[in-house]
């Protein structure tokens, strides 16, 4: 990957502060120095805590860093309808904006952090990246998620053990309109669960019902004395009326499951 990056004149990097983009940004910075610019988009779909972490990480690494607003995504009617290709609509708009920034600031290439393991899941946003000619060095160099974690740990990056993350819109079932209020409910519920010590989970939005997906090893914890009551209280305070625990536990893309035969063709 270092050899791949060394062939680039410069690069703008889509930087979320997650495991993949942080690793990509660090290696890119090691190879290209100040010829890189990390760009983080802030929107209602991304928790404020994630933005804070991204800003702190950029400072720790020494990355030139730019934060851009992407709040108007909720003004795009087709996106708000939450169709099966929601991620395509989002990434097409977001990376078009990144492309405009790159052209304005003289960056020839735009990089993002898709890795080899990502292509096995339903990711309609990949089409937008191809259309806009965005580079995915981790994927193109054949690097897997577990390898990224191992290398990140060796490099001293604090993100090596960070749970995988997806935007808050992924908590809302396809066809259910995406609104600021729904995203805020999910954000508050998930932040509260983090405060209680849970990790690697999701809170899925189903109207009045919050469906919690926990890693299986954390399921027993939620029934400990005082914990269950606190979880229920906090999630109801976030705006939900009912709290449900999914007995299958956390799995990536669970809201894709009812559409599995359809999404393969989108």
């Amino acid at each position: 990957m270092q050899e791949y990056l060394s062939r680039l004149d410069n690069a703008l990097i889509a930087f979320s502060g997650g495991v993949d983009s942080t690793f990509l940004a660090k290696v890119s910075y090691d190879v290209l120095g100040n010829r890189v610019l990390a760009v983080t988009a802030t929107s209602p779909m991304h928790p404020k805590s994630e933005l804070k972490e991204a800003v702190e990480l950029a400072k720790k690494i020494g990355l030139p860093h730019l934060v851009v607003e992407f709040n108007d995504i909720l003004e795009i009617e087709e996106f708000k309808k939450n169709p099966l290709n929601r991620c395509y609509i989002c990434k097409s708009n977001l990376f078009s904006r990144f492309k405009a920034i790159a052209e304005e600031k003289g960056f020839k290439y735009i990089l993002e952090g898709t890795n080899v393991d990502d292509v096995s899941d339903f990711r309609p946003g990949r089409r937008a990246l191809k259309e806009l000619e965005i580079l995915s060095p981790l994927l193109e160099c054949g690097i897997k998620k577990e390898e990224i974690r191992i290398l990140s740990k060796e490099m001293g990056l604090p993100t090596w053990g960070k749970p995988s993350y997806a935007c808050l819109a992924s908590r809302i079932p396809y066809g259910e309109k995406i609104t600021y209020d729904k995203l805020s409910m999910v954000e508050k519920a998930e932040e509260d669960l983090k405060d209680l010590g849970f990790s690697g989970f999701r809170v899925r939005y189903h109207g009045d019902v919050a469906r919690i997906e926990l890693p299986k090893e954390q399921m027993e914890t939620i029934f400990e004395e005082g914990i269950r009551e606190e979880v229920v209280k906090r999630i109801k305070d976030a705006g939900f009326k009912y709290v449900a625990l999914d007995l299958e536990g956390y799995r990536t893309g669970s809201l894709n499951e009812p559409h599995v035969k359809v999404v393969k063709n989108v």
Side-chain angles (χ1 to χ4, degrees), residues 83 87 93 125 166 168 198 208 222 245 265:
C87 289
N93 281 273
L168 296 173
F198 294 99
D208 290 339
I222 205 168
L245 177 66
N265 299 316

Side-chain angles (χ1 to χ4, degrees), residues 167-168 170-172 182 185-194 200-206 209-214 231 235 238 240 242-244 250 255:
C167 82
L168 296 173
S170 68
R171 318 298 199 262
I172 301 175
K182 292 171 186 176
M185 287 169 66
V186 172
E187 179 180 0
K188 186 177 188 314
E190 292 197 347
E191 289 298 319
D192 283 341
L193 284 181
K194 277 201 289 188
F201 60 85
R202 297 288 186 268
V203 175
R204 309 291 187 186
Y205 177 96
H206 296 280
V209 180
R211 175 169 60 90
I212 303 173
E213 294 179 10
L214 286 176
V231 167
I235 290 184
F240 293 98
Y242 306 100
V243 183
Y250 168 66
L255 290 178

Side-chain angles (χ1 to χ4, degrees), residues 119-131:
V119 297
S120 62
D121 192 16
F122 171 56
R123 297 190 181 244
R126 287 290 306 155
R127 180 161 65 93
L129 299 178
K130 290 178 182 177
E131 290 173 355

Side-chain angles (χ1 to χ4, degrees), residues 47 60 95 109 170 207:
K60 180 181 176 66
F95 279 88
Y109 299 98
S170 68

Side-chain angles (χ1 to χ4, degrees), residues 47 85-86 92 106 123 149 154 173 176 191 229 231 233 242 248 258:
N85 66 339
R86 175 195 66 223
S92 183
R123 297 190 181 244
R149 291 191 183 280
E154 291 177 357
E176 172 82 32
E191 289 298 319
E229 293 83 357
V231 167
K233 178 183 180 301
Y242 306 100
E248 284 191 74

